[in-house]
Amino acid sequence: MSFDAEAEKGAHGLSWPEARALVLPFLSSLAGVIAMTEAALAPTSERPRVGPAPETLVPLEAGDAAVLSWFVTRLDQLDATKARPWSATPYEAIFEGLGRQPAELALRLWRRGGPLLALVRWREGPARAMVRRFGRQVLPELVGLVAENPLVGFERFADLGAGEFAPVTAQVLARHRVAREAALAWLRRHRAVA
């Protein structure tokens, strides 16, 4: 199957993580989710604060671009704690449905990277949803993902035939004995693009 053919496929059901995803109907919905999540992370008399307090409050009346920028900054702040304070919050649920989020949000979070994205990017569902929806726009990050862990990457995305995987394949053949078979299988399957 070519990379473009995977991008054109429709969704064929949802995995368990995708089924529990929080999918925003509009980017403007993000401000409400942020307010709800930050309230849940705030300390109460029964429990301490979960994660660091936000440096500033979300600009609820600001435009979508300002709210999205605040959200990305807040994720960076939470990621820096290494404590995973976003676990089991709506923030994590947004990532579970990454491929079904409003386009601007999905692409910004996909390109951002970070530990939260790493959790869902390795799951086939969100990554394939991004490929189906955005096609070649998400290819650089997907190639980087395969380069990070070629054994798992070539196994999970072996059916995606894009010439951009060829340099990674060459590096794996030269340097990674463990992943060599997976890279050779990809190369045999996609000779035309390699």
Side-chain angles (χ1 to χ4, degrees):
M1 174 183 296
S2 75
F3 184 83
D4 295 318
E6 176 66 23
E8 292 170 9
K9 261 182 14 181
H12 298 289
L14 301 172
S15 66
W16 177 81
E18 290 172 305
R20 68 184 185 101
L22 172 63
V23 179
L24 305 178
F26 308 103
L27 186 55
S28 58
S29 308
L30 182 59
V33 172
I34 290 170
M36 176 181 68
T37 305
E38 291 302 325
L41 293 175
T44 66
S45 59
E46 290 88 38
R47 71 173 193 298
R49 168 166 284 288
V50 178
E55 293 172 7
T56 61
L57 295 177
V58 62
L60 293 175
E61 290 77 32
D64 291 348
V67 172
L68 182 56
S69 180
W70 186 94
F71 182 55
V72 169
T73 302
R74 179 65 171 142
L75 290 175
D76 291 341
Q77 182 187 21
L78 292 172
D79 286 349
T81 67
K82 307 288 188 224
R84 295 174 52 152
W86 35 255
S87 182
T89 68
Y91 290 167
E92 183 176 20
I94 285 172
F95 278 84
E96 294 290 357
L98 190 61
R100 297 180 289 150
Q101 300 298 351
E104 187 178 353
L105 175 64
L107 288 171
R108 180 89 180 261
L109 295 179
W110 178 261
R111 291 181 179 136
R112 174 187 169 272
L116 191 50
L117 182 61
L119 287 177
V120 299
R121 214 170 27 173
W122 274 116
R123 294 188 195 127
E124 273 188 271
R128 289 200 180 272
M130 291 295 287
V131 168
R132 280 192 298 274
R133 183 166 174 205
F134 298 107
R136 292 194 173 274
Q137 291 181 59
V138 298
L139 189 57
E141 292 81 17
L142 194 58
V143 169
L145 189 64
V146 171
E148 280 176 29
N149 189 338
L151 183 61
V152 175
F154 278 118
E155 184 178 291
R156 292 230 171 114
F157 305 110
D159 60 327
L160 299 179
E164 290 84 347
F165 286 107
V168 174
T169 307
Q171 288 176 349
V172 169
L173 290 173
R175 297 189 184 113
H176 296 277
R177 242 190 282 184
V178 175
R180 194 169 287 153
E181 264 315 301
L184 280 171
W186 182 90
L187 195 57
R188 283 187 214 106
R189 190 172 189 171
H190 303 289
R191 286 185 185 130
V193 296

